[in-house]
């Protein structure tokens, strides 16, 4: 069973990964437990960048598509 410190650490690793992607104008679009892995040192990484998309100014920083796993998508996306 995980304690609160481990949960905060794992969540923080995922948030740093997302922050890095966003700082490079990349939207991940499929955040779910199955798309994160923990290495032997305890660091968490996002995997499966197949649905990620780079946002560009010529497309007004929009994706124009809805992609993700339905059970993990926000209700307002539907």
């Amino acid at each position: 069973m995980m304690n609160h410190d481990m949960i905060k650490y794992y969540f923080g690793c995922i948030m740093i990964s997302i922050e890095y992607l966003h700082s490079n104008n990349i939207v991940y679009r499929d955040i779910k437990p199955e798309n994160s892995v923990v290495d032997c040192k305890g660091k968490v990484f996002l995997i499966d960048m197949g649905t990620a998309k780079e946002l560009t100014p010529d497309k007004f920083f929009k994706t124009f598509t809805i992609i993700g796993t339905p059970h993990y998508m926000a209700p307002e996306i539907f």
Side-chain angles (χ1 to χ4, degrees):
M1 191 164 150
M2 288 201 278
N3 63 34
H4 288 348
D5 290 334
M6 289 176 67
I7 293 168
K8 288 189 281 188
Y9 174 76
Y10 290 154
F11 185 75
C13 288
I14 292 170
M15 292 305 300
I16 288 170
S17 299
I18 293 168
E19 181 180 38
Y20 175 79
L21 292 172
H22 283 196
S23 70
N24 288 286
N25 294 326
I26 298 171
V27 180
Y28 185 67
R29 303 201 295 181
D30 200 18
I31 298 172
K32 60 184 177 182
E34 292 86 354
N35 285 345
S36 59
V37 294
V38 181
D39 72 1
C40 62
K41 295 180 182 178
K43 293 188 180 182
V44 181
F45 296 93
L46 290 176
I47 59 171
D48 191 8
M49 299 293 287
T51 60
K53 183 164 184 164
E54 182 179 12
L55 301 178
T56 58
D58 62 319
K59 299 285 186 182
F60 307 105
F61 294 104
K62 293 186 178 186
T63 62
F64 297 101
T65 55
I66 298 173
I67 293 178
T69 304
H71 287 93
Y72 292 97
M73 294 172 72
E76 62 269 17
I77 299 298
F78 292 108

